[in-house]
Amino acid sequence: MHQCMPWVSCWARYACISRLAQVRNHTPNGVPSGMITLLIVLLGNAFGLHHRGPAKFCWDDVFKPNAKVFHLHTPKVAGCSVVEDLSHFIGRKQIYSKETCFSQSLEGSFQDTVVMVRRPRDHVFAMYQHCHNFISGSFRWEMHIVRQFPGMEDHHVPRSFNKWVAEWQRSPRFGDHHMLLDKDFCYCPYNMQTSRLVCKESHPRAHSYCYEKPDLDEAMKNLKAATLLGVVEAYHESFCLFHAHFLRSLPDSCKCESPTWSSFSPSDHHHGYSYNQTIEDMPQETIEKVDEMTTEDMKLYKAAVKRFIDEIEKVEQHFGSRVLCNNQRQNLQQMAGLAG
């Protein structure tokens, strides 16, 4: 969304910025907004402001219905890392990854569907950090230009996570939503993971629709339909599960009692920023508000972690090696609210 692949996907970027101008009827000095935004896009690419590094592998601009794997790229759920690390198993061309709805997986002939989940508290915290700290040159530059259109409200994401959460709880923006059309240029923090599993990709912004309460039963059904399920808090173990599935083997780096366990080297994408605080550093009142916003996601996460542990156990039995050691198992169960 914040990237522009060379020239082809620039038209998507052009359409998005044009839409921002059209929605608010911004035509500075009588110049058609389309001309302004086209100039912004072309200059951004001419000066190389878009990503040229590993992040260019995160999304596909063109639908690939014949790819082997459909990856549901939920924002801030390790999507870029997952795509890069999966590519080591089957090659990038065999993966279709996009910030879309799970329903799009039904439109292709994919052999596998990959879904990752993340503890909802951490997920919402990561959303805010992304919007607050993200420093992609082209994204920041374009948004700065867009905000100069006459009459454009110069809103910015609140300066603290606590204020951002309080703002959303006080004035939720349910319904049609897109971070580039949001007054804070940020995500909807309400049950995003459940929402991506139930939305229908019937129009360009369906995947970012902000549900007050998404259909949990539908989400659970689609989660069950995913052939591969990973957990961000157990990223290492998740890729051991994927390795066993795609390569029919279990390397020593996947044996948690082996000295080579620490040799696993996952991809690490931070999009140019990092932060030291965690959700646990926030006031209890704020954490409780986040929990209220993510009740459906927490139920989904609990079911996902339970399934994940069950599937890891099957891999352990098949290969006769421990993948999920007791301390990690207990951590996952505690985070998901499962009985030990």
Side-chain angles (χ1 to χ4, degrees):
M1 185 155 47
H2 50 265
Q3 315 183 80
C4 183
M5 300 286 278
W7 302 108
V8 175
S9 65
C10 292
W11 291 107
R13 179 187 293 240
Y14 162 80
C16 185
I17 301 176
S18 294
R19 173 62 177 160
L20 280 170
Q22 292 165 6
V23 165
R24 298 176 174 84
N25 195 30
H26 298 314
T27 54
N29 300 321
V31 179
S33 62
M35 292 179 64
I36 297 294
T37 51
L38 179 58
L39 180 61
I40 292 171
V41 171
L42 294 179
L43 285 175
N45 283 273
F47 286 99
L49 292 175
H50 59 278
H51 285 293
R52 292 185 183 273
K56 70 181 181 180
F57 295 106
C58 294
W59 297 273
D60 287 295
D61 294 311
V62 178
F63 186 47
K64 293 156 56 176
N66 297 316
K68 289 183 179 178
V69 172
F70 173 91
H71 167 239
L72 180 64
H73 188 137
T74 303
K76 314 320 302 170
V77 187
C80 292
S81 295
V82 168
V83 171
E84 183 169 348
D85 291 333
L86 275 179
S87 297
H88 298 320
F89 297 161
I90 59 175
R92 180 62 181 90
K93 291 183 180 179
Q94 294 300 328
I95 302 168
Y96 174 67
S97 178
K98 189 175 182 180
E99 293 184 5
T100 184
C101 302
F102 182 83
S103 62
Q104 194 178 29
S105 66
L106 303 176
E107 300 174 12
S109 56
F110 306 103
Q111 296 176 21
D112 288 293
T113 51
V114 176
V115 173
M116 295 288 292
V117 296
R118 185 174 189 177
R119 187 174 71 143
R121 288 180 177 179
D122 299 311
H123 186 211
V124 172
F125 192 69
M127 290 182 210
Y128 171 78
Q129 296 299 335
H130 178 87
C131 300
H132 182 63
N133 296 308
F134 189 52
I135 59 173
S136 164
S138 59
F139 180 75
R140 285 296 187 202
W141 188 61
E142 288 162 5
M143 292 305 99
H144 173 74
I145 295 297
V146 168
R147 280 175 169 147
Q148 306 312 305
F149 289 145
M152 180 83 175
E153 293 181 289
D154 191 20
H155 285 291
H156 297 277
V157 65
R159 295 182 65 85
S160 75
F161 178 71
N162 303 329
K163 290 181 179 179
W164 182 66
V165 170
E167 176 193 281
W168 264 96
Q169 191 176 61
R170 183 175 60 253
S171 304
R173 301 186 281 280
F174 297 126
D176 192 15
H177 181 273
H178 193 291
M179 71 176 296
L180 296 183
L181 294 174
D182 179 63
K183 73 183 188 71
D184 294 333
F185 291 150
C186 200
Y187 303 105
C188 167
Y190 280 81
N191 297 302
M192 181 193 283
Q193 296 178 73
T194 307
S195 298
R196 296 299 170 105
L197 283 166
V198 302
C199 61
K200 308 297 181 185
E201 195 65 23
S202 55
H203 65 82
R205 294 197 302 276
H207 63 278
S208 55
Y209 191 89
C210 187
Y211 292 85
E212 181 173 4
K213 193 171 183 179
D215 187 340
L216 183 63
D217 290 338
E218 178 73 10
M220 291 290 193
K221 184 181 92 172
N222 290 332
L223 184 72
K224 185 177 180 180
T227 57
L228 287 168
L229 175 64
V231 179
V232 170
E233 289 75 24
Y235 191 88
H236 188 161
E237 292 86 350
S238 296
F239 267 82
C240 292
L241 184 67
F242 299 166
H243 192 288
H245 177 85
F246 288 112
L247 303 182
R248 308 299 180 187
S249 63
L250 194 69
D252 288 342
S253 61
C254 281
K255 299 170 184 176
C256 67
E257 297 172 328
S258 169
T260 58
W261 172 261
S262 60
S263 66
F264 176 70
S265 180
S267 301
D268 191 12
H269 291 268
H270 290 292
H271 301 291
Y273 68 90
S274 62
Y275 53 94
N276 297 319
Q277 286 186 311
T278 69
I279 185 68
E280 276 71 29
D281 295 319
M282 300 298 106
Q284 184 60 34
E285 179 184 4
T286 298
I287 295 175
E288 290 174 0
K289 289 178 181 177
V290 171
D291 289 346
E292 291 173 10
M293 292 177 170
T294 56
T295 53
E296 307 308 292
D297 272 9
M298 191 60 204
K299 294 172 186 175
L300 185 83
Y301 183 74
K302 182 176 182 178
V305 169
K306 184 179 185 304
R307 170 184 159 180
F308 177 74
I309 292 175
D310 290 343
E311 293 184 348
I312 286 288
E313 288 178 349
K314 292 177 182 176
V315 169
E316 291 176 334
Q317 292 171 5
H318 181 79
F319 291 100
S321 298
R322 292 290 299 275
V323 175
L324 186 65
C325 278
N326 289 336
N327 59 338
Q328 177 69 320
R329 179 190 298 266
Q330 291 170 1
N331 287 338
L332 283 176
Q333 290 173 332
Q334 182 178 5
M335 285 188 288
L338 295 167

